[in-house]
Amino acid sequence: MRDLLLERPTPDIDIAIEGPVEELTVALARRLDARIQKTTDFMTSTLVLDDGLEVDIARTRTERYPEPGALPEVTPASLAEDLGRRDFSVNAMAMSLDPRRFGELLDPHGGRHDLQRRQLRVLHECSFEDDPTRMLRAARFLLRLQFTLEPWTASLLERAVEERRTAAVSGARLRNELECIFHEAPARGLAMLDELRLLEGMGLTEASRAACEASRMVPRAAREMEVDLSEIDPLICAFGIYVGLSEQDGGGLAVRLMLDASARDAILQAAALIERTPGVLTGSEPDSALFFALRGLRPAAAVGLWTVLDEKARARLQHYWHDLRRTRADVGGADLIAAGYEPGPEFSEALETALRAKLDKRADREEQLAIALRLLERTSA
């Protein structure tokens, strides 16, 4: 209803019913020729139509939080109770589908008024205590809708930050909320987290101004590097910048957010390169020096690094990324064995020398093989 009233596109449809969802889900799947994608312990089902549109069907329910930050205990309830458990008033509206009342707006918490005032307002004083992830959802909706926080809500959020309410939330839940923020707003997510002091609330370091400014360049960096942000995690790009420019311990960040090894390594790689820019990006060394200095550069780290470089260094980075990084020698170990040499540690040096010749001198295959064999001849003499 929020998006309908704002005349914004919505990616899915949510239907709430005061009763079991299974029978309605099956009936709708038949009527709409849709696929039932999933059902959950939270009394919800999802249909997927042929055009990809998702229809979420949920039994109206209420929630009880056994302790702050914990997942809720869910029980069936009325529609009024269901709307009363929502995070913000603008998300606590519904439209009747009953033919006798079709189109009637159900707005018990003044969501339409808040839409008109373009503000986010929680429904009760303990909202952020019950579910501290709402603090991060506030950041996401502020970015998505370009709203402001209603003053009372802003004071409650500030209090929740001071009380470190997110300390009780698991790293996995925090990470999921952060990923949503940065997928929707890769350029502005870090600045919003800093503005609301949510990083501090999670026990992390305040983001520096330099980090916030650099993170605004992430979409442009991805375009210049021809990296699809939808295929990598913009969170990793932004947090690589954040760690590199804000004196945040990358290992501690990875532990707090329960990042997997790949995400952790990408953040640490980006941060290390940002803290100390490789000299090959600022000098005029040959292509082979650029290749071996940046070999193994991850896409998210490359995007993050681009944001802090000057134009010359960016051009060098893009040259590596577009022209050099996939270069391989045209000869391999089999060629060296065929020439009569036994495999050994010298092979790596010989093949690397051949690759340098290809990168710097455009040596063809025969020249590369001759260079590799000469090195092996010297080392075996």
Side-chain angles (χ1 to χ4, degrees), residues 1-9 90-91 93 111-112 114-119 141 144-147:
M1 287 308 304
R2 179 198 67 226
D3 291 336
L4 284 175
L5 291 171
L6 290 174
E7 299 183 351
R8 291 170 51 92
V90 297
N91 296 331
M93 297 180 287
R112 188 168 194 172
D114 287 327
L115 281 181
Q116 292 169 344
R117 301 192 67 171
R118 303 189 67 80
Q119 65 181 13
F141 285 120
R144 181 195 294 180
L145 303 174
Q146 295 296 287
F147 279 18

Side-chain angles (χ1 to χ4, degrees), residues 355-374:
L355 178 56
R356 289 182 184 277
K358 180 179 181 177
L359 288 165
D360 297 338
K361 302 177 182 178
R362 305 297 182 265
D364 60 24
R365 185 180 187 283
E366 290 186 3
E367 292 170 324
Q368 293 172 46
L369 180 58
I371 289 169
L373 293 177
R374 281 200 299 271

Side-chain angles (χ1 to χ4, degrees), residues 66 71 100 119 134 163 165 177 237 300 326 358:
L71 290 173
R100 295 165 297 181
Q119 65 181 13
R134 289 172 178 164
E163 294 174 350
R165 288 292 175 180
E177 293 293 339
C237 298
R326 293 189 178 91
K358 180 179 181 177

Side-chain angles (χ1 to χ4, degrees), residues 52-322:
L53 180 69
E54 293 189 358
V55 179
D56 292 325
I57 305 169
R59 182 167 187 167
T60 53
R61 57 200 191 272
T62 189
E63 298 171 342
R64 187 184 75 85
Y65 293 85
E67 58 186 37
L71 290 173
E73 296 176 352
V74 178
T75 55
S78 67
L79 177 61
E81 290 173 299
D82 186 276
L83 293 177
R85 70 179 176 83
R86 303 305 174 101
D87 48 9
F88 305 104
S89 63
V90 297
N91 296 331
M93 297 180 287
M95 183 186 79
S96 175
L97 299 180
D98 186 328
R100 295 165 297 181
R101 302 166 53 202
F102 187 84
E104 178 183 332
L105 179 65
L106 306 174
D107 182 18
H109 301 285
R112 188 168 194 172
H113 174 72
D114 287 327
L115 281 181
Q116 292 169 344
R117 301 192 67 171
R118 303 189 67 80
Q119 65 181 13
L120 283 185
R121 178 173 56 83
V122 294
L123 304 189
H124 57 86
E125 186 174 3
C126 296
S127 182
F128 295 129
E129 296 176 21
D130 287 346
D131 185 359
T133 62
R134 289 172 178 164
M135 299 161 68
L136 294 172
R137 288 206 293 277
R140 174 155 55 99
F141 285 120
L142 290 174
L143 288 165
R144 181 195 294 180
L145 303 174
Q146 295 296 287
F147 279 18
T148 59
L149 283 176
E150 177 268 337
W152 176 66
T153 299
S155 67
L156 293 177
L157 179 63
E158 184 177 355
R159 185 179 75 186
V161 169
E162 294 289 346
E163 294 174 350
R164 296 289 177 93
R165 288 292 175 180
T166 54
V169 181
S170 72
R173 291 185 67 201
L174 291 177
R175 184 185 68 247
N176 289 339
E177 293 293 339
L178 289 167
E179 286 174 346
C180 290
I181 290 172
F182 283 94
H183 274 289
E184 289 190 21
R188 296 173 293 143
L190 188 63
M192 178 59 72
L193 292 176
D194 185 62
E195 178 182 335
L196 299 179
R197 297 176 57 211
L198 295 180
L199 294 167
E200 297 171 70
M202 288 185 282
L204 302 173
T205 303
E206 177 184 0
S208 68
R209 178 177 295 183
C212 292
E213 291 176 352
S215 68
R216 291 189 179 95
M217 302 289 288
V218 165
R220 180 187 167 192
R223 290 193 300 271
E224 296 289 346
M225 299 295 288
E226 297 179 8
V227 171
D228 188 343
L229 273 181
S230 66
E231 295 181 0
I232 63 173
D233 191 343
L235 170 70
I236 304 305
C237 298
F239 273 23
I241 296 168
Y242 162 62
V243 171
L245 295 177
S246 302
E247 299 183 358
Q248 166 64 43
D249 171 52
L253 172 71
V255 170
R256 179 67 187 96
L257 299 183
M258 299 174 65
L259 300 177
D260 61 29
S262 177
R264 178 201 63 209
D265 292 346
I267 287 176
L268 293 177
Q269 184 185 59
L273 293 170
I274 288 169
E275 288 175 358
R276 182 173 296 180
T277 302
V280 293
L281 290 174
T282 57
S284 55
E285 286 85 348
D287 283 352
S288 61
L290 190 60
F291 176 90
F292 287 108
L294 298 179
R295 182 166 56 175
L297 182 62
R298 298 165 184 260
V303 170
L305 175 59
W306 189 96
T307 66
V308 302
L309 300 176
D310 61 24
E311 291 303 320
K312 177 183 177 182
R314 287 173 178 173
R316 294 273 289 169
L317 176 61
Q318 289 172 225
H319 174 50
Y320 163 77
W321 192 256
H322 299 314

